[in-house]
Amino acid sequence: METENQWEEVDETELTVAERCVYRIRRRAVELYRNGSSPGEIFRATGLGSTAVERLWHRCCARDPQTGERKGYKALVPRSKIKKFIR
């Protein structure tokens, strides 16, 4: 099973200051979730509720249909595209 340790790191230098702040909060929440922290602990540390954290976790675990790789931390970047738009 693929773990978060195998997820590709995000180059934070390409993010704006605001995007970097949001990304770091989301990443901290996902890491706490992964380590079994309670929803209350995650909320106190990040301000994110359990529903939002679960949604972020599922985004990270989603597979890219073209490569088959998990999205990982890239899914936590604000305005990142997870699914291709198909009309």
Side-chain angles (χ1 to χ4, degrees), residues 14 17 26 29 31 51 62 73:
E14 296 180 2
V17 173
R26 290 176 176 179
E31 288 171 349
T51 304
Y73 294 127

Side-chain angles (χ1 to χ4, degrees), residues 4 26-39 42 49-58 61:
E4 72 177 34
R26 290 176 176 179
R27 181 170 172 156
R28 178 75 177 131
V30 167
E31 288 171 349
L32 289 169
Y33 180 82
R34 173 84 170 138
N35 292 329
S37 296
S38 73
I42 297 171
S50 59
T51 304
V53 175
E54 287 179 23
R55 179 182 50 81
L56 291 171
W57 174 254
H58 289 293
C61 292

Side-chain angles (χ1 to χ4, degrees), residues 41-53:
E41 291 171 325
I42 297 171
F43 182 78
R44 283 189 293 280
T46 65
L48 296 176
S50 59
T51 304
V53 175

Side-chain angles (χ1 to χ4, degrees), residues 4-18:
E4 72 177 34
N5 295 335
Q6 297 171 325
W7 292 347
E8 185 179 331
E9 291 294 324
V10 171
D11 182 7
E12 293 184 29
T13 60
E14 296 180 2
L15 303 176
T16 66
V17 173

